[in-house]
Amino acid sequence: STVTDVQTQIYTTTAAHVSVYTHTDDQKVWVYMKNLETEAGAAQDIYVGEDNHDMTTSSGEDNRLMTLSAGDFAFFPWSGRQDLYVEGASAGDKLEIWIFKKS
């Protein structure tokens, strides 16, 4: 595969779930995410999901694909037909995001 475009951002969590990747077509991508917080604890967790739903409540846990605790990272392939949403357990946490579009 060849990387055709790279998008980066440092996202600061809020009290709401927010789309950090919006699909436009069948584009396949690699996604790198890292929770930049250094203090461990459930309040620093950042949730990642594919649905536009609250992921902080017990009923919203079904919408989580993963939980990134302080210092955790993930690097994974992603289908271009699905959006990615993130939400912090509390507001103000930082999440580093890299989207690598590939051919």
Side-chain angles (χ1 to χ4, degrees):
S1 295
T2 301
V3 173
T4 59
D5 186 40
V6 178
Q7 300 169 357
T8 65
Q9 66 174 304
I10 303 292
Y11 174 71
T12 302
T13 61
T14 65
H17 45 283
V18 173
S19 175
V20 293
Y21 171 71
T22 303
H23 79 281
T24 55
D25 52 25
D26 280 338
Q27 179 71 54
K28 292 185 170 102
V29 299
W30 289 307
V31 178
Y32 170 83
M33 295 181 167
K34 181 176 182 184
N35 183 334
L36 297 177
E37 298 306 309
T38 56
E39 183 180 322
Q44 284 71 35
D45 287 349
I46 298 176
Y47 310 118
V48 180
E50 65 178 341
D51 292 321
N52 189 11
H53 297 290
D54 184 358
M55 293 178 272
T56 60
T57 63
S58 59
S59 62
E61 290 177 359
D62 292 342
N63 298 315
R64 294 181 198 167
L65 296 173
M66 66 182 85
T67 300
L68 296 175
S69 297
D72 282 353
F73 71 92
F75 183 68
F76 53 95
W78 193 250
S79 168
R81 289 203 177 266
Q82 294 292 326
D83 294 347
L84 273 174
Y85 291 85
V86 299
E87 184 171 4
S90 59
D93 294 329
K94 305 262 189 238
L95 179 68
E96 179 179 16
I97 305 164
W98 292 65
I99 306 289
F100 301 89
K101 292 184 179 179
K102 60 182 186 168
S103 61

